[in-house]
Amino acid sequence: MKPSLRPRRVRALVSVLSAAVAVVGAAVLVPSPARAATTLGAQAAASGRYFGTAVAAGRLGDSTYSTILDREFNMITPENEMKWDTTEPSRGSFNFGPADQIVNHAQAHGQRLRGHTLVWHNQLPGWVGSITDANTLRSVMDNHITTEMTHFKGKIYAWDVVNEAFADGSTQHRGSVFQNVLGNGFIEEAFRTARAADPSAKLCYNDYNIENWSDAKTQGVYAMVRDFKSRGVPIDCVGFQSHFGSGGPPASFPTTLSNFAALGVDVQLTELDIATAPSTAYSTTVKDCVNVSRCAGITVWGIRDSDSWRSGDNPLLFDGGGNKKPAYDAVLSALGGGVPYGGGGSSPPPGDGGCSVTYTVGSQWSGGFGANVSVTNLGDPVSSWTLTWSFGAGQQVTQAWNATVTQSGSNVTAKNVSYNGSLGTGGSASFGFNGSWNGSNPAPATFALNGTACTG
């Protein structure tokens, strides 16, 4: 998401101790080892993840660039082509040509796309920044989101709906035309508008310097996501830009990813680059992702060092000539470990039938709790799914997301929603819910997927 002229940010890499998220109960399964692959995208796909890169439309004609892109990466993020100054340079006049060029390339080569970005204070045309009337700005923002998402509907896996809304070193929002004119509610407004525009795309909040768990900015974003999930505001994922110095990620990065995932959202590394590209730092970063079941994938911010917004740091996996650097092999190896996306634990290999389930209580308070459920299909592919279980202590589901959940007495039925019904063999889906409890809150003892008992 970085333009080439953007000044480099200084990022503190502070090691902290942090309490682990409590797991109240789970049917936990150990994955079978991922099959070795020879490209980044294929190796990530073995655990149900993606490995992507930022792409500039103007470089697609470079044969070295496009050859690496199409060989190695199965997810594409347009670097600048979907930002507001390109897509709507004047009010109501939209230009999707550069972005369409990238989208068409991706579709021709079987690559998925992340949309980047709908609402951001930077790379914003002057006419938007000059708006001072709240009703006008709200109408402009909602129309921009709706028009752009509608144009690309059905082609985008996930959107960075709002980008970098929090101030550095603070739990508060940064000053911007959106914050100054619309107030704190503009982020919620943007996410609700985005869900209405494309119910099938995952909706992400994306930011930098939120990798260290103890940092104020991290805590501010975490509190916002927790609030959104508790009130049913549609948010599906959080993007951690992961622009690191040569030391790599902070020691608390795994804790940060796990704690956000426990809220019921996917986590994604959206703009990874590491100064001087040390193999150990890259390997550690990738392992931090693949060891969290809801870490959906990783995007590096550029292909070759010469393509990077911080090219002087040589932070990527390929040098300026397109040659693999030592960090490439470290990443390829690290992608082969960890747990499958969406689940984890010990189970028969896919195809033996049944399912595996991870049930986690991420938070609990007097009379209430929030739970997250990941289910992995171990049988034949299905186009829709129903997961059933029974509560043993009178718990009641009060609100759910990423699934339709109903309850009759102690029996609970969760059905897929429109965008997560298809589960291939080994495929996973995740959803969450809030519930009430009184006295005790034990995990369900058994689950069934489409009537077949789960193992574990």
Side-chain angles (χ1 to χ4, degrees):
M1 69 136 273
K2 303 293 162 281
S4 58
L5 298 180
R6 186 162 184 166
R8 187 182 311 157
R9 293 185 284 255
V10 178
R11 292 168 176 80
L13 304 180
V14 181
S15 175
V16 296
L17 294 177
S18 175
V21 174
V23 177
V24 171
V28 181
L29 305 118
V30 176
S32 54
R35 288 175 292 180
T38 59
T39 66
L40 300 170
Q43 186 75 307
S47 65
R49 294 181 170 87
Y50 64 81
F51 200 94
T53 185
V55 169
R59 292 191 175 100
L60 290 174
D62 180 330
S63 60
T64 302
Y65 182 94
S66 59
T67 296
I68 299 171
L69 168 63
D70 298 333
R71 182 187 72 222
E72 298 288 344
F73 300 100
N74 57 5
M75 185 72 73
I76 285 177
T77 302
E79 188 169 3
N80 291 295
E81 290 79 358
M82 289 184 175
K83 293 172 182 174
W84 202 318
D85 59 353
T86 297
T87 56
E88 193 182 4
S90 59
R91 185 172 179 178
S93 179
F94 286 86
N95 172 30
F96 296 122
D100 283 339
Q101 186 180 350
I102 294 176
V103 171
N104 292 340
H105 181 98
Q107 291 187 314
H109 294 85
Q111 296 152 321
R112 293 188 294 166
L113 289 131
R114 296 188 78 261
H116 178 79
T117 178
L118 296 169
V119 178
W120 186 31
H121 68 277
N122 210 336
Q123 291 183 248
L124 194 66
W127 69 269
V128 180
S130 66
I131 297 173
T132 58
D133 177 71
N135 289 334
T136 300
L137 183 59
R138 181 174 292 107
S139 175
V140 162
M141 182 181 77
D142 291 352
N143 181 66
H144 179 82
I145 292 170
T146 301
T147 302
E148 183 163 358
M149 291 187 72
T150 299
H151 178 82
F152 295 109
K153 190 172 183 178
K155 301 176 181 178
I156 303 296
Y157 157 74
W159 277 100
D160 291 332
V161 178
V162 176
N163 199 51
E164 300 179 359
F166 279 76
D168 292 337
S170 172
T171 61
Q172 305 302 307
H173 296 170
R174 70 165 68 242
S176 70
V177 64
F178 304 106
Q179 178 67 31
N180 299 342
V181 176
L182 298 178
N184 289 339
F186 85 89
I187 301 179
E188 178 174 341
E189 170 91 8
F191 273 87
R192 292 193 183 278
T193 301
R195 177 64 87 223
D198 186 352
S200 298
K202 287 183 177 289
L203 308 181
C204 306
Y205 175 80
N206 190 55
D207 216 327
Y208 66 94
N209 277 358
I210 58 170
E211 293 85 9
N212 187 30
W213 176 243
S214 64
D215 285 353
K217 187 175 182 181
T218 306
Q219 292 301 308
V221 175
Y222 179 83
M224 178 192 72
V225 176
R226 181 176 58 193
D227 171 63
F228 280 8
K229 297 302 292 188
S230 71
R231 296 189 294 109
V233 179
I235 182 170
D236 304 307
C237 37
V238 176
F240 298 80
Q241 291 184 16
S242 305
H243 297 292
F244 295 133
S246 59
S252 64
F253 194 30
T255 297
T256 302
L257 295 175
S258 295
N259 286 354
F260 273 90
L263 294 177
V265 293
D266 280 357
V267 292
Q268 304 172 3
L269 278 55
T270 54
E271 305 180 19
L272 176 64
D273 48 28
I274 305 177
T276 72
S279 296
T280 299
Y282 258 108
S283 176
T284 298
T285 303
V286 171
K287 289 177 181 178
D288 286 349
C289 169
V290 300
N291 286 332
V292 175
S293 65
R294 290 204 65 159
C295 190
I298 298 169
T299 295
V300 288
W301 205 248
I303 296 175
R304 304 166 298 193
D305 287 334
S306 54
D307 305 316
S308 172
W309 69 292
R310 51 193 294 202
S311 57
D313 287 339
N314 296 321
L316 297 174
L317 301 178
F318 297 86
D319 66 22
N323 302 300
K324 298 174 183 177
K325 295 161 64 174
Y328 173 96
D329 293 324
V331 168
L332 191 67
S333 176
L335 286 169
V339 298
Y341 166 63
S346 117
S347 72
D352 282 5
C355 65
S356 65
V357 173
T358 299
Y359 177 97
T360 304
V361 173
S363 58
Q364 185 166 294
W365 57 94
S366 178
F369 68 101
N372 304 297
V373 183
S374 293
V375 56
T376 300
N377 175 32
L378 303 180
D380 294 331
V382 297
S383 59
S384 63
W385 54 265
T386 298
L387 186 71
T388 56
W389 71 88
S390 296
F391 280 127
Q395 301 101 315
Q396 292 288 320
V397 175
T398 58
Q399 180 186 44
W401 50 90
N402 295 334
T404 300
V405 181
T406 57
Q407 185 168 352
S408 176
S410 62
N411 298 320
V412 182
T413 300
K415 295 179 179 292
N416 67 272
V417 289
S418 60
Y419 51 84
N420 64 0
S422 179
L423 291 181
T425 301
S428 299
S430 299
F431 63 94
F433 64 88
N434 290 332
S436 62
W437 66 285
N438 183 20
S440 63
N441 187 21
T446 59
F447 294 84
L449 178 65
N450 291 354
T452 300
C454 298
T455 58

